[in-house]
């Protein structure tokens, strides 16, 4: 062999060795079940596992994975004693079900994952992740419910409960398991436990109460300790709904807690809530209510009441009762409410009679933290409003009976800093009175603490149009304001209930903007618990109104599970909710006559210009709405059955769906695709077309009739809660996106921009909740923070920017922006479970530029409108030159292609 040949061979071997030993970067963002990262007090003993692949350019897809789980971090990765999945040849990196040993309450599991890339190269192990289970059954609780003895007929004042205990050994760890019938704040040795707001939250209390787990290892010391609980009414027994809620046998609040301490020598100590605790209702919080606010008397402050050594001699013995099995205690399934943001005061306006109004510039939900000079025993009054009267005073008529007022009584002269504990408000403006009249008001006297369930933002959307960006801001603020442990309809008046109709139309928009999978999954669990024996679904969840089912509202039971599945790809959400979905379908079927469903409905709620003034259910007939949603729920249940492999139910549901569509077409449409109802409505056509209820040959005729109705309205919408979300997808589907853009960009009533022109900083309940010209709308139903009309966001993200899921979970993405619009640019970014997806386009002198990012382990279908004679380039060259771009199809209107993960810069050249 020649010297050169030998050198060449050595080089080849070396290159092969280097290639074979190339380090493939490890996976990251390890999460369990609905997206929890290293959760404590976790609810799921049969979790699923998800991770992301690194977006470094070399990783296209996953070909296999391996998960290991152990009882100790030291055992990983080589000695997994809980579960070793072994190498699984699969591209799936989401929702991998656990397959190891049965897990128990309190157990802490450590886990890691590795993957093999598209070339079969093995990655490094991920960093360690963990989850620690909470108390999973009632039998895990040795503690009792405790409270002061009930005082029937007396107003409830929050109770202060306490117990001292001694720790004699060095602490390894300590866990506080706690919940309440009501809401609570826990303290240990004078410090608040956690940062949660109004825990444990709101569930159907007759069925389930959620518990929380706190790591309090750092709050407990050797020697003497004390634990305290402040207990309020909250949703459990306070004023909620349209009456005082007395639907539970024992409406007075109770607390239960179990403090479990593990010492370094292996021994344990447990402190239980029981009859050895002491309590008083003579603390500083004199009153608290969700609707009415909180009263705090600093003269009654209990200094160091949750610290050891406090004199509790005048405190009463508590009453206690065993936990029982009348309902289930389960770990909280989604994130608690927290104070997430602070809003400073922007302007101050002095009003007569010593009142000052502070404007935060943004309608928000939470509480006001005050920092004001005060005089002893001179009550400070804090009032709230979303809007102002023309004279600058608060407009509170739309709060109805909700007082929404906080009071603070000082114990001495000076400056106090205070915020309430057991209430929340919906407001932009804060009115202060009763402060030290000798002081000059300052902006820092009032700060808004924005509170909502502790989820992160996943999506962003911006355009070249300022009002469209304002609309997006209003959508986000509407979401923040109404995702307060449950999806509420409004956050300010004497309601704040989990209305199902509002929720089902807004769910897809919410899923793009925020990480709300666990939020929805938890609420759906409440919905399952509230489903009636006949299969019907109440209009609010938790159900405190005892009202009938309503089509368009009850369908949240079918719409939301499907929408969550389609946006996450997790079949478990369908598996959990399928029986509920089928139950609603069967209920509708039993109530229908010849497949026409005419049960009660709120209809196209608050449609503008109803034929009968004041008719909130509007002009689309109940049987049309009912039959349309009957068909829609059957269709979604059918889709779920296919995903879950329920072949025996698929054929039955397919036949039922055909029969409903035929009945709908026969009763409500003539041969010219025209509604036969007494009044033609935009919503009637939108339901027929949006839900595919009429034959294809009639659809072109029906869309012309819809366009005629829009033209009759001067290009404006005439839709309420149910019709509005269908406007954009229907018009777009049938090639009339231009009509939708014209409608969306209307400045006059009714339109999205109309409310912005009147000063809206959130979505409104009515298209005309307020106008500069006419003032306020009907105060009995006039919320300035109502997210339903924010459902337009889905079309904004998916078509204006062009970022949509094509397959469940964004496994395949559709990038299909609309360039022919009033916009010069649009951009959307979404943090999917696979990684960041982004699309950005802008019109330039050279043409239209489009930038796209596709994460590993996915692919995308890119559809770009193109005119004859235009060139379409990628990174300055022909698209055929990129091997990552495949299946390129051109026609006279579009160019379509499939692209692999990576970043692309396209140019549609003039």
């Amino acid at each position: 062999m020649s010297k050169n040949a030998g050198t060449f061979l050595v080089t080849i071997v070396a290159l092969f060795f280097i290639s074979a030993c190339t380090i493939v970067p490890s996976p990251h963002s390890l999460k369990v079940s609905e997206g929890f990262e290293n959760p404590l007090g976790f609810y799921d003993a049969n979790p699923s596992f998800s991770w992301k692949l690194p977006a470094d350019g070399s990783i296209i897809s996953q070909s296999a994975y391996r998960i290991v789980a152990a009882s100790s971090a030291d055992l990983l990765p080589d000695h997994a004693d809980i579960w070793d999945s072994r190498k699984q040849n699969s591209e799936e990196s989401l929702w991998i079900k656990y397959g190891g040993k049965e897990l128990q309450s309190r157990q802490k599991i450590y886990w890691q994952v590795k993957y093999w890339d598209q070339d079969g190269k093995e990655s490094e192990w991920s960093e360690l992740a963990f989850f620690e289970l909470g108390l999973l059954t009632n039998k895990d609780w040795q503690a009792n419910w405790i409270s002061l003895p009930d005082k029937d007929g007396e107003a409830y004042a929050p109770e202060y409960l306490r117990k001292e205990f001694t720790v004699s050994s060095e602490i390894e760890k300590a866990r506080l398991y706690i919940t309440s019938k009501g809401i609570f704040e826990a303290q240990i040795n004078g410090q608040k436990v956690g940062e949660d707001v109004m825990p444990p939250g709101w569930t159907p209390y007759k069925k389930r109460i959620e518990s929380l787990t706190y790591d309090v290892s750092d709050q407990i010391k050797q020697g003497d300790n004390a634990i305290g609980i402040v207990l309020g009414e909250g949703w459990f027994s306070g004023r909620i709904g349209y009456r005082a809620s007395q639907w539970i046998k024992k409406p007075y609040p109770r607390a239960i807690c179990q403090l479990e301490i593990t010492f370094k020598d292996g021994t344990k100590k447990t402190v239980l809530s029981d009859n050895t605790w002491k309590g008083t209702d003579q603390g500083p919080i004199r009153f608290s209510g969700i609707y009415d606010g909180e009263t705090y008397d600093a003269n009654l402050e209990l200094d160091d009441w949750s610290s050891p050594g406090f004199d509790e001699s005048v405190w009463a013995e508590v009453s206690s009762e065993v936990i029982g099995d009348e309902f289930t205690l389960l770990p909280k399934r989604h994130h608690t409410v927290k104070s997430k943001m602070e809003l400073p005061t922007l302007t101050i306006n002095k009003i007569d009679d010593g009142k000052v109004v502070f404007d935060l510039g943004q309608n928000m939900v939470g509480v006001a933290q005050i920092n004001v000079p005060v005089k002893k025993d001179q009550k400070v009054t804090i009032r709230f409003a979303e809007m102002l009267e023309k004279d600058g005073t608060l407009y509170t008529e739309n709060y109805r009976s909700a007082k929404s007022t906080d009071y603070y009584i000082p114990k001495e002269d000076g400056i106090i800093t205070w915020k309430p504990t057991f209430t929340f408000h919906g407001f932009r403006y804060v009115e202060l009175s009763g402060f030290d009249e000798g002081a000059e008001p300052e902006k820092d006297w009032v700060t808004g603490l924005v509170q909502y369930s502790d989820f992160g933002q996943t999506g962003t959307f911006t355009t070249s149009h300022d009002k469209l960006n304002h609309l997006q801001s209003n959508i986000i603020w509407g979401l923040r304001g109404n995702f307060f442990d449950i999806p509420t309809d409004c956050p300010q008046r004497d309601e704040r209930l989990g209305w199902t109709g509002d929720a089902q139309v807004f769910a897809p928009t919410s899923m793009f903007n925020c990480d709300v999978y666990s939020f929805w999954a938890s609420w759906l669990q409440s919905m399952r618990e509230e489903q009636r024996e006949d299969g019907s679904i109440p209009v609010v969840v938790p159900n405190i109104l005892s009202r009938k089912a309503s089509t368009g509202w009850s369908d949240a039971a079918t719409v939301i599970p499907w929408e969550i599945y389609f946006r996450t790809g997790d079949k478990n959400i369908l598996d959990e909710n399928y029986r509920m979905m089928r139950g609603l379908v069967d209920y509708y079927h039993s109530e229908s006559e010849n497949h026409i469903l005419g049960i009660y409905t709120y209809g196209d709620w608050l449609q503008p210009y109803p034929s009968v003034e004041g008719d909130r259910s509007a002009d689309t007939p109940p049987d049309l709405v009912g039959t349309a949603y009957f068909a829609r729920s059957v269709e979604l249940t059918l889709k779920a059955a296919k995903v879950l492999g329920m072949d025996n139910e698929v054929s039955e549901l397919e036949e039922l769906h055909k029969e409903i569509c035929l009945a709908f077409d026969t009763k409500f449409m003539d041969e010219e695709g025209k509604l036969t109802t007494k009044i033609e409505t935009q919503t009637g056509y939108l339901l027929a077309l949006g839900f595919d209820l009429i034959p294809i040959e009639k659809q072109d005729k029906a869309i012309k009739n819809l366009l005629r109705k829009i033209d009759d309205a001067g290009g404006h919408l005439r839709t309420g809660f149910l019709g509005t979300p269908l406007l954009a997808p229907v018009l777009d589907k049938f090639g009339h996106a231009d009509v939708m853009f014209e409608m969306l960009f209307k400045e006059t009533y009714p339109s999205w921009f109309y409310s912005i022109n009147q000063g809206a900083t959130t979505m409104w309940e009515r298209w005309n909740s307020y106008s500069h010209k006419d003032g306020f709308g009907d105060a009995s139903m006039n919320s300035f923070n109502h997210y339903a009309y924010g459902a337009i966001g889905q079309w904004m993200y998916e078509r204006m920017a062009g970022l949509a899921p094509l397959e469940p979970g964004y496994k395949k993405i559709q990038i299909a922006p609309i360039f022919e619009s009033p916009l010069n640019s649009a951009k959307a970014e979404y943090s999917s479970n696979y990684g960041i997806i982004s699309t950005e386009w802008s019109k330039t002198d050279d043409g239209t530029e489009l930038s796209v990012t596709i994460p590993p382990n996915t692919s995308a279908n890119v559809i770009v409108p193109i005119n004859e004679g235009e060139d379409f380039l990628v990174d300055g060259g022909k698209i055929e030159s990129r091997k990552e771009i495949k299946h390129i199809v051109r026609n006279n209107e579009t160019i379509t292609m499939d692209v692999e993960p990576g970043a692309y810069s396209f140019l549609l050249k003039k």
Side-chain angles (χ1 to χ4, degrees):
M1 180 184 295
S2 68
K3 181 178 179 181
N4 288 341
T7 303
F8 178 75
L9 180 61
V10 170
T11 302
I12 292 296
V13 172
L15 288 174
F16 177 80
F17 180 79
I18 292 171
S19 175
C21 296
T22 298
I23 296 176
V24 176
S26 61
H28 62 95
S29 302
L30 276 63
K31 296 182 179 180
V32 291
S33 297
E34 298 94 349
F36 294 93
E37 188 172 356
N38 297 335
L40 180 69
F42 194 46
Y43 82 94
D44 193 354
N46 187 29
S48 61
F49 299 89
S50 302
W51 57 90
K52 295 180 182 178
L53 306 186
D56 73 343
S58 65
I59 307 301
I60 302 300
S61 62
Q62 173 186 288
S63 61
Y65 69 83
R66 181 184 175 191
I67 303 171
V68 290
S71 57
S72 170
D74 296 336
L75 297 175
L76 293 180
D78 298 324
H79 303 286
D81 62 339
I82 299 294
W83 182 41
D84 187 340
S85 73
R86 305 299 178 186
K87 182 179 180 181
Q88 300 293 317
N89 294 318
S90 170
E91 66 178 15
E92 297 299 330
S93 57
L94 302 178
W95 325 120
I96 307 302
K97 289 301 287 185
Y98 172 70
K101 297 178 181 178
E102 183 177 355
L103 303 181
Q104 306 294 327
S105 296
R106 306 177 182 84
Q107 199 166 357
K108 188 171 185 178
I109 307 299
Y110 298 87
W111 67 284
Q112 286 179 289
V113 63
K114 66 164 57 175
Y115 68 95
W116 285 257
D117 70 8
Q118 68 278 355
D119 299 320
K121 296 174 184 175
E122 184 176 355
S123 80
E124 295 183 312
W125 284 103
S126 69
E127 293 186 358
L128 278 173
F130 71 84
F131 60 95
E132 181 176 321
L133 295 168
L135 302 185
L136 302 178
T137 71
N138 287 21
K139 293 180 180 179
D140 291 311
W141 291 83
Q142 287 79 52
N144 288 345
W145 294 106
I146 61 170
S147 68
L148 292 172
D150 293 351
K151 299 179 180 179
D152 292 331
E154 294 186 23
Y156 180 87
E159 298 177 2
Y160 294 72
L161 311 170
R162 73 182 304 274
K163 180 180 177 62
E164 295 193 16
F165 60 96
T166 302
V167 171
S168 56
S169 301
E170 192 173 356
I171 297 169
E172 175 70 27
K173 68 174 183 178
R175 299 288 186 265
L176 176 63
Y177 305 100
I178 184 170
T179 191
S180 64
K181 302 176 184 179
I183 51 181
F184 70 86
E185 179 182 287
Q187 299 182 18
I188 291 179
N189 293 332
Q191 295 182 332
K192 180 181 176 180
V193 174
E195 299 177 349
D196 299 332
V197 172
M198 297 178 66
W202 193 7
T203 52
Y205 297 125
K206 290 188 291 185
K207 299 288 183 67
R208 173 173 54 98
I209 294 178
E210 295 177 312
S211 65
L212 294 166
T213 304
Y214 297 100
D215 182 351
V216 294
S217 306
D218 294 336
Q219 289 183 251
I220 297 174
K221 59 186 180 181
Q222 279 189 266
D224 295 333
N225 294 264
I227 181 172
I229 301 171
V230 191
L231 181 62
E233 290 181 303
W235 298 274
F236 178 82
S237 55
R239 190 167 79 92
I240 196 73
Y242 302 131
R243 56 183 174 80
S245 299
Q246 303 293 331
W247 71 94
I248 293 181
K249 292 180 181 179
K250 295 186 176 181
Y252 276 83
R254 303 281 190 272
I256 189 169
C257 73
Q258 200 156 296
L259 174 59
E260 299 185 359
I261 306 170
T262 302
F263 301 111
K264 289 188 175 180
D265 62 6
T267 60
K268 298 182 180 181
K269 179 184 181 71
T270 303
V271 179
L272 305 174
S273 54
D274 57 22
N275 59 11
T276 64
W277 286 52
K278 293 289 190 71
T280 183
D281 60 2
Q282 297 303 304
I285 304 178
R286 304 309 307 139
F287 168 81
S288 68
I290 288 174
Y291 293 160
D292 297 327
E294 187 162 297
T295 300
Y296 188 93
D297 188 345
N299 293 290
L300 299 177
E301 284 182 339
L302 305 166
D303 294 338
D304 299 323
W305 72 276
S306 62
S307 296
F310 176 79
D311 182 5
E312 61 179 31
S313 59
V314 297
W315 285 32
E317 294 182 354
V318 301
S319 61
S320 67
E321 58 186 45
V322 297
I323 191 169
D325 57 4
E326 67 272 23
F327 50 78
T328 304
L329 288 184
L330 291 174
K332 191 169 184 66
R333 185 168 180 171
H334 72 295
H335 301 290
T336 53
V337 175
K338 285 184 169 60
S339 291
K340 299 282 290 181
M341 304 167 62
E342 293 187 2
L343 292 182
T345 294
L346 298 184
T347 62
I348 297 174
N349 183 29
K350 294 183 181 179
I351 308 296
D352 293 340
D353 303 323
K355 298 176 181 177
V356 178
V357 174
F358 297 76
D359 180 5
L360 304 182
Q362 172 64 56
N363 197 6
M364 57 156 283
V365 173
V367 297
Q369 180 169 282
I370 61 171
N371 181 46
V372 298
V374 296
K375 289 288 189 180
K376 176 176 170 53
D377 292 331
Q378 181 172 300
K379 183 187 291 185
V380 178
T381 301
I382 310 138
R383 299 176 63 229
F384 301 87
E386 296 181 294
M387 299 287 284
L388 297 179
E389 300 280 8
K390 290 184 178 179
D391 63 0
T393 60
L394 302 189
Y395 168 74
T396 59
E397 192 176 357
N398 71 315
Y399 284 23
R400 302 191 302 212
S401 71
K403 297 182 179 66
S404 196
T405 303
D406 297 334
Y407 299 98
Y408 184 95
I409 303 170
K411 63 181 177 181
E412 59 189 9
D413 295 355
I415 296 177
I416 59 99
T417 299
W418 176 79
K419 65 179 184 292
T421 303
F422 292 144
T423 192
F424 66 94
H425 307 282
F427 63 98
R428 170 177 171 172
Y429 301 95
V430 180
E431 178 196 88
L432 283 187
S433 60
F435 50 85
D436 184 349
E437 60 273 13
E440 184 66 22
E442 301 286 346
K443 289 181 181 179
D444 64 0
W445 282 15
V446 173
T447 300
L449 304 183
V450 181
Q451 298 172 335
Y452 55 93
S453 292
D454 189 20
F455 45 74
Q457 189 165 340
T458 51
T460 59
F461 172 80
T462 55
T463 73
S464 56
H465 198 286
D466 288 343
K467 284 186 181 175
L468 200 59
N469 296 337
H470 194 145
L471 175 58
Q472 168 65 2
S473 175
N474 288 2
I475 291 171
I476 293 291
W477 278 101
L479 189 159
R480 289 172 180 151
N482 285 289
F483 279 40
F484 198 100
D485 200 71
I486 66 164
T488 61
D489 62 319
C490 62
Q492 74 296 90
R493 67 190 181 209
D494 55 355
E495 197 163 350
R496 314 186 199 187
L497 308 179
W499 283 93
T500 48
D502 307 54
Q504 66 98 354
V505 300
F506 188 69
T509 298
S510 74
M511 290 290 290
F512 173 87
N513 283 297
C514 295
D515 183 12
V516 288
Y517 181 9
S518 64
F519 179 88
W520 285 118
S522 179
W523 191 61
L524 286 172
Q525 182 173 348
S526 294
M527 191 180 294
R528 295 195 300 274
E529 292 163 345
E530 294 286 23
Q531 186 170 31
R532 300 182 178 97
E533 290 185 4
D534 62 6
S536 63
I537 298 293
V539 294
V540 296
V541 174
N543 181 24
I544 63 169
L545 298 184
S546 300
R547 294 188 176 179
K548 299 177 181 178
S550 168
T551 49
W553 268 251
S554 299
D555 303 85
T558 56
V559 173
I560 296 177
W562 178 260
E563 293 292 351
I564 293 176
Y565 163 70
F566 193 67
R567 280 158 180 78
T568 65
D570 188 3
K571 295 179 183 179
N572 186 61
I573 196 71
L574 296 180
D575 192 42
E576 277 194 327
N577 291 287
Y578 183 79
R579 292 322 324 166
M580 175 176 70
M581 299 169 75
R582 184 61 200 259
L584 178 66
V585 164
D586 290 343
Y587 168 73
Y588 280 170
H589 199 181
S590 69
E591 293 292 319
S592 66
E593 185 173 345
N594 297 321
H595 299 102
I596 299 297
L597 182 63
I599 66 172
Y600 177 80
T601 180
Y602 287 98
D604 197 25
W605 187 249
L606 298 182
Q607 167 211 308
Y609 299 116
S611 59
V612 178
E613 187 175 352
D615 183 359
R616 295 168 179 166
S617 298
D619 294 331
T620 306
D623 56 350
L624 188 153
V625 172
T627 307
Y629 267 98
F630 181 16
R632 179 63 170 160
S633 280
V634 171
E635 178 194 16
L636 296 178
T637 305
L638 165 62
K639 287 183 176 181
K642 288 180 177 178
V643 170
L644 297 173
M646 296 180 171
D647 297 337
N648 58 323
E649 299 205 13
V650 167
S651 57
E652 177 188 347
L653 291 168
E654 284 178 335
E655 184 62 28
L656 178 59
H657 186 255
K658 291 177 184 177
E659 291 170 348
I660 300 168
C661 291
L662 177 60
F664 181 95
D665 180 48
T666 302
K667 182 172 177 62
F668 300 113
M669 282 281 175
D670 67 14
E671 289 304 312
E672 298 305 313
K674 184 173 181 289
L675 287 170
T676 59
T677 54
K678 181 179 179 181
I679 301 173
E680 284 182 272
T681 64
Q682 292 179 12
T683 293
Y685 288 111
L686 290 165
L687 289 168
L689 293 164
F691 293 169
D692 288 320
L693 304 179
I694 56 177
I696 294 176
E697 59 268 19
K698 279 190 184 181
Q699 291 180 1
D700 286 341
K701 297 176 181 179
I703 193 69
K704 291 178 182 177
N705 286 313
L706 171 61
L707 293 172
R708 172 176 52 81
K709 293 302 296 179
I710 293 173
D711 189 58
D712 289 346
H716 283 85
L717 58 83
R718 290 290 186 269
T719 52
F721 277 28
L722 298 184
T724 301
L726 293 170
L727 274 167
V730 167
L731 289 171
D732 191 0
K733 174 183 176 182
F734 288 95
H736 298 286
D738 58 327
V739 177
M740 186 61 223
F741 275 112
E742 182 183 350
M743 192 179 301
L744 176 59
F745 281 72
K746 288 286 187 186
E747 301 276 350
T748 50
Y749 171 78
S751 69
W752 286 271
F753 287 0
Y754 179 75
S755 63
I756 291 173
N757 293 338
Q758 314 310 312
T761 62
T762 46
M763 304 308 298
W764 289 356
E765 182 174 22
R766 294 176 175 271
W767 294 111
N768 61 341
S769 286
Y770 171 82
S771 73
H772 297 308
K773 178 183 175 183
D774 300 322
F776 296 102
D778 179 5
S780 66
M781 198 67 65
N782 198 28
S783 161
F784 291 93
N785 198 344
H786 231 84
Y787 56 56
Y789 291 136
I792 185 63
Q794 179 183 359
W795 190 70
M796 290 158 55
Y797 320 137
E798 295 185 356
R799 293 294 281 128
M800 286 188 191
L803 196 165
L806 190 59
E807 293 180 0
Y810 293 84
K811 180 65 173 175
K812 190 165 188 178
I813 305 146
Q814 180 165 284
I815 305 295
I818 303 175
F819 295 155
E820 294 299 321
S821 72
L823 303 175
N824 291 318
S825 65
K827 176 182 179 181
E829 183 176 284
Y830 176 63
S831 179
S832 78
N833 288 313
Y834 292 103
I836 297 294
I837 308 168
S838 69
T839 175
E840 179 177 10
W841 64 265
S842 61
K843 298 173 183 177
T844 69
D845 292 339
D846 294 329
T848 303
E849 296 178 352
L850 171 65
S851 298
V852 174
T853 302
I854 307 301
N857 219 25
T858 68
S859 63
N861 179 244
V862 179
I863 305 174
V864 178
I866 188 169
N867 297 316
E868 187 175 353
E870 289 181 320
D871 288 330
F872 192 58
L873 307 176
V874 56
D875 297 329
K878 297 292 185 180
I879 58 174
E880 290 82 0
S881 65
R882 287 286 296 268
K883 63 181 179 61
E884 301 91 348
I885 301 177
K886 302 173 182 178
H887 305 115
I888 303 166
V889 178
R890 297 174 184 263
N891 60 35
N892 293 333
E893 297 180 347
T894 61
I895 182 167
T896 302
M897 70 208 85
D898 290 335
V899 303
E900 293 181 346
Y904 302 85
S905 294
F906 299 106
L907 173 63
L908 185 61
K909 193 172 182 180
K910 292 180 180 179

